C-alpha cells in the first residue's frame, strides 16, 4: 500500500527552538508538499518541491524553510519556532502530470510551540 | 486566480439522514474538481473527483456533479452513517500540481 510517513504525530517545542518535521514517501513521487491546517482556514501551502534539491514557496512560507536532498524525503524546518506556528502540519506527495492530480497525505504532525 | 468556497460547518446529522455540503468555485477554464475526506487522526484522502462539466464523481455512496452553469460541485449522500463522521474538503487544482482547498466542513453523524 502506498505510504506517506511523517516522523512524529505530536510534538511540543519551546519558542525559539529549531524544529525539523520529516516526511518520507515510498511511491517514487516527484512532487512533495507541506501544508498547515488550522481551524476555519483549511489547508494552506507552505512549500513544495517538484524534484530533488528543488523548492518553491507556497502561500505562507515566512518562518519556514525546506530541504529535499533525496527524492523520497522532504523536510520542513522552523528556524526559530514561534507560538503562531502551533498547528497541524500535513505532508503530501503526488506524481507529475495528469496522474499527479491525486495527492497522498501523511497522518499529520500536531505541533505545539510553548 | 482559482479558488473554492465551501459551506461552513460543523454539520450534525442523525444516521440515515440526507447530506449536502456546498462547494462553489472560481476558475479559469474548466479544471477538474475534487472532494477529499479526513477521518479522525488521519491525513486527507481522495473521496471523489470529476474531470469535466456535467461529470458525476461517486465513491462510498457519496456523489458530486460538476455544474459549470452554477460553478458548483456539491457533495451529497442519501443516507449517512456514523462512520462518515469526518472533515470534508472541496479542492481545485492550481498551476502545476498544486491545489486550493476549501476551509473544510466537519460532519458528525449521531446514532
Amino acid at each position: 500500500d502506498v505510504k506517506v510517513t511523517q516522523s512524529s504525530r505530536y510534538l511540543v517545542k519551546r519558542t525559539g527552538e529549531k524544529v525539523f518535521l520529516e516526511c518520507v514517501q515510498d511511491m517514487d513521487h516527484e512532487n512533495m508538499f507541506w501544508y498547515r491546517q488550522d481551524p476555519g482556514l483549511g489547508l494552506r501551502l507552505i512549500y513544495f518541491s517538484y524534484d530533488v534539491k528543488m523548492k518553491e514557496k507556497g502561500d505562507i512560507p515566512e518562518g519556514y524553510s525546506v530541504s529535499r536532498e533525496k527524492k523520497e524525503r522532504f523536510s520542513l524546518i522552523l528556524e526559530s519556532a514561534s507560538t503562531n506556528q502551533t498547528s497541524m502540519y500535513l505532508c503530501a506527495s503526488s506524481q507529475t502530470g495528469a496522474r499527479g492530480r491525486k495527492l497522498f497525505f501523511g497522518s499529520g504532525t500536531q505541533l505545539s510551540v510553548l | 486566480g482559482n479558488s473554492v468556497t465551501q459551506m461552513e460547518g460543523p454539520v450534525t446529522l442523525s444516521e440515515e439522514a440526507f447530506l449536502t455540503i456546498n462547494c462553489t468555485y472560481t476558475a479559469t477554464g474548466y479544471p477538474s474538481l475534487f472532494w477529499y475526506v479526513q477521518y479522525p487522526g488521519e491525513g486527507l484522502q481522495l473521496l471523489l473527483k470529476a474531470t469535466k462539466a456535467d461529470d458525476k464523481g461517486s465513491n462510498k455512496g457519496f456523489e458530486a456533479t460538476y455544474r459549470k452553469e452554477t460553478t458548483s460541485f456539491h457533495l451529497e449522500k442519501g443516507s449517512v452513517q456514523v462512520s462518515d463522521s469526518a472533515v470534508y474538503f472541496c479542492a481545485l487544482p492550481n498551476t502545476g500540481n498544486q491545489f486550493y482547498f476549501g476551509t473544510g466542513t466537519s460532519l458528525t453523524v449521531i446514532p
Side-chain angles (χ1 to χ4, degrees):
Chain A
D1 203 10
V2 297
K3 214 162 187 179
V4 178
T5 303
Q6 295 184 229
S7 54
S8 305
R9 185 72 180 93
Y10 299 96
L11 212 50
V12 180
K13 296 293 182 181
R14 297 209 173 273
T15 302
E17 279 193 76
K18 190 169 185 176
V19 181
F20 292 86
L21 302 182
E22 306 287 347
C23 175
V24 177
Q25 51 95 2
D26 65 359
M27 298 164 281
D28 201 36
H29 283 170
E30 296 84 3
N31 309 316
M32 297 189 74
F33 306 84
W34 276 106
Y35 291 89
R36 63 177 283 177
Q37 181 180 9
D38 300 289
L41 296 177
L43 273 69
R44 292 180 292 167
L45 182 63
I46 305 171
Y47 266 97
F48 59 98
S49 170
Y50 290 151
D51 202 353
V52 175
K53 296 192 184 296
M54 177 271 178
K55 60 186 179 184
E56 294 285 345
K57 293 180 180 179
D59 299 319
I60 52 164
E62 296 78 19
Y64 304 94
S65 62
V66 290
S67 171
R68 193 166 181 201
E69 296 295 319
K70 294 185 178 181
K71 189 176 185 180
E72 67 271 18
R73 186 180 296 270
F74 192 36
S75 302
L76 180 70
I77 304 157
L78 287 65
E79 295 290 342
S80 177
S82 63
T83 54
N84 63 12
Q85 293 178 309
T86 291
S87 185
M88 170 68 81
Y89 290 87
L90 292 169
C91 176
S93 72
S94 73
Q95 290 178 308
T96 294
R99 297 167 299 167
R101 290 308 186 191
K102 180 176 180 178
L103 287 172
F104 293 85
F105 282 85
S107 298
T109 296
Q110 180 62 53
L111 173 67
S112 297
V113 182
L114 306 178
Chain B
N2 294 357
S3 66
V4 290
T5 301
Q6 189 173 339
M7 173 178 145
E8 296 267 341
V11 175
T12 302
L13 295 173
S14 297
E15 211 164 19
E16 300 183 3
F18 184 85
L19 169 72
T20 300
I21 300 177
N22 291 338
C23 171
T24 57
Y25 67 90
T26 302
T28 304
Y30 302 104
S32 298
L33 300 172
F34 301 79
W35 278 99
Y36 278 80
V37 58
Q38 184 180 31
Y39 297 105
E42 299 182 14
L44 281 71
Q45 56 186 273
L46 180 65
L47 179 61
L48 55 84
K49 69 177 184 181
T51 56
K52 61 183 187 295
D54 299 325
D55 256 6
K56 178 184 285 187
S58 61
N59 186 26
K60 299 183 180 181
F62 290 89
E63 292 182 340
T65 301
Y66 188 157
R67 300 204 185 279
K68 66 177 182 179
E69 311 82 19
T70 53
T71 62
S72 65
F73 192 54
H74 305 323
L75 183 68
E76 297 181 335
K77 187 173 185 180
S79 176
V80 294
Q81 306 300 312
V82 171
S83 56
D84 294 326
S85 297
V87 182
Y88 294 83
F89 293 89
C90 187
L92 173 70
N94 191 10
T95 55
N97 288 293
Q98 301 172 54
F99 277 81
Y100 282 119
F101 287 88
T103 53
T105 302
S106 175
L107 170 67
T108 301
V109 181
I110 54 178

